[in-house]
Amino acid sequence: MITDTQWLMRAIVAELEQAGIADSVQAPNVLTYDDALAALLEYPSTCIFVMPGAINMAHDLEGGFPVRASLTREVTLFISAANPGQPGGDMDTANHMTDQVLQVLTWHSLGQDGRIICKPRQASPLPLAWEDAPGRAVWSMTVDVTSLENEF
């Protein structure tokens, strides 16, 4: 079973970098989503932040014996496009970037066919009001990255 959840995070960053959707794809070392949103201010153009969320395990049993387990890592993406001086930022670009992320990650195996599946679950624009940086549009997306195994 692919239980290295940090590998899952690095694999998502690598896929999004390779897709060329944003000028920068980062997994920031922050403790809260508020800290991550504040860190977005350091990026002048388009960027995607990849942040870890909960880890969930599910087990399928037959006749009292395990037959399959899955580990799901919840990942939150902040998809952002700046347009200094424009209230709300560059929402058209942020919308387009979100569409591209959905195309790239939906049912993606991260190079582990039959063992990994990405399942975007929700995406929505964030209503942000930054007085010091009003020119940034941000979408939040939640993606479940599931590792499937049939052996123990």
Side-chain angles (χ1 to χ4, degrees), residues 19-35:
I21 297 168
D23 295 331
S24 178
V25 180
Q26 302 289 323
N29 188 16
V30 295
L31 297 177
T32 68
Y33 289 157
D34 288 337
D35 291 342

Side-chain angles (χ1 to χ4, degrees), residues 2 24 33 44 50 61 68 76-77 84 90-91 104-105 114 132 147:
I2 299 175
S24 178
Y33 289 157
V50 180
L61 303 174
R68 182 174 157 176
T76 298
L77 307 177
D90 187 353
M91 189 54 83
V104 168
L105 291 183
D132 56 343
S147 172

Side-chain angles (χ1 to χ4, degrees), residues 40-56:
L40 283 174
L41 299 177
E42 298 174 21
Y43 293 84
S45 190
T46 58
C47 63
I48 300 172
F49 278 6
V50 180
M51 292 162 297
I55 298 172
N56 298 295

Side-chain angles (χ1 to χ4, degrees), residues 40 45-47 78-83 86-95 97 125-126 128 130 133-140:
L40 283 174
S45 190
T46 58
C47 63
F78 286 149
I79 303 162
S80 176
N83 186 356
Q86 172 70 32
D90 187 353
M91 189 54 83
D92 286 344
T93 298
N95 288 341
M97 290 169 59
L126 292 180
L128 299 174
W130 289 321
R136 182 165 292 279
V138 181
W139 275 74
S140 173

